[in-house]
Amino acid sequence: MTAPTNANQGAEDALGFVHRWMPREGATRTLLLLHGTGGDEEDLIPLGDMLDPTANLLSPRGKVSEQGMARFFRRLAEGVFDLEDLRLRTTELADFVDAAARHYGFDAAGVTAVGFSNGANIAASVLLLRPATLRSAILLRAMVPLVPDSPPALAGAQVFIAAGEHDPIIPPSNSERLATMLREYGADVALEWMPVGHQLTRDDVDAARDWLRAE
Ligand code: MLT
């Protein structure tokens, strides 16, 4: 048997994703942190701490490599997704969250996704294809990832979307469409517009934190 190469190796082998797990004593919420293209499992840890310092943090690294940049699913071009891969990766990620809840012993009913860009898009895809995985989601610069074959049961799900008014990647109409779609499936959606582009600002963090506190 080969010796583990890092302290988390056993869990990574069992759960199938390289990831960070940061438990917090008495936590009632787990933030599932999903980085953007070219990021990794470390990227959103500071954001998770700012959003809710009392929550457990679970932060996987996307398994797809685009010229060495980690992503959560394949794309054919900017904003054009490989839908077959997206469906497969969405299932894989939702299964990871379920397995991590059993492995680490956190409440699977208390998971809030926090995704940026590509991470926000797969979080939206989890809402659409595996709605029971998430209690709520913070989608920072998300677009419509796909249209589900059957309507997901999203009644009771809370979603915060922060969109950039001048985002060069996501047209405003696409952010509106995502909000409308999630509302039609029963989610309670707050859509907030930031006077910026694709990058996150302090205002995004403050707005998401205030929303989370009230959730
Ligand atoms: C995506 O591919 O998910 C979006 O275009 C955002 C990005 O990662 O650039």
Side-chain angles (χ1 to χ4, degrees):
M1 209 171 102
T2 48
T5 51
N6 69 48
N8 208 25
Q9 190 70 50
E12 286 174 0
D13 290 348
L15 301 177
F17 274 82
V18 174
H19 65 278
R20 279 285 301 276
W21 164 244
M22 293 178 59
R24 295 264 162 65
E25 187 81 29
T28 54
R29 181 200 300 282
T30 296
L31 297 181
L32 172 67
L33 304 175
L34 301 166
H35 62 78
T37 299
D40 67 18
E41 67 279 14
E42 303 297 335
D43 273 24
L44 299 192
I45 300 285
L47 175 63
D49 279 337
M50 285 189 269
L51 292 178
D52 185 352
T54 70
N56 300 319
L57 303 181
L58 178 65
S59 185
R61 185 192 305 171
K63 287 194 195 181
V64 167
S65 171
E66 184 184 276
Q67 292 167 353
M69 296 185 296
R71 287 176 52 84
F72 285 96
F73 56 89
R74 272 169 40 86
R75 65 179 163 184
L76 307 173
E78 181 78 56
V80 183
F81 302 150
D82 176 336
L83 294 180
E84 195 184 334
D85 187 66
L86 174 55
R87 284 173 189 278
L88 193 126
R89 301 288 175 186
T90 301
T91 300
E92 204 173 51
L93 182 64
D95 288 347
F96 162 75
V97 175
D98 291 347
R102 289 192 298 274
H103 184 86
Y104 291 121
F106 65 83
D107 180 6
V111 179
T112 298
V114 178
F116 167 61
S117 190
N118 181 246
N121 292 339
I122 194 140
S125 186
V126 171
L127 285 169
L128 294 169
L129 298 180
R130 289 281 293 269
T133 307
L134 301 175
R135 161 169 124 192
S136 54
I138 293 175
L139 308 178
L140 305 167
R141 310 296 186 270
M143 58 201 294
V144 175
L146 48 69
V147 176
D149 295 335
S150 53
L154 282 174
Q158 306 286 318
V159 182
F160 173 84
I161 302 173
E165 282 171 13
H166 312 293
D167 194 323
I169 299 174
I170 307 169
S173 58
N174 195 303
S175 306
E176 298 277 5
R177 208 174 123 228
L178 177 62
T180 302
M181 187 185 232
L182 293 171
R183 283 185 188 123
E184 276 171 8
Y185 296 137
D188 188 357
V189 180
L191 171 59
E192 196 136 336
W193 289 97
M194 302 291 161
V196 294
H198 200 68
Q199 287 312 308
L200 293 185
T201 64
R202 183 71 217 194
D203 286 347
D204 285 284
V205 179
D206 290 346
R209 193 194 48 228
D210 291 350
W211 176 86
L212 194 61
R213 279 187 184 149
E215 191 231 328

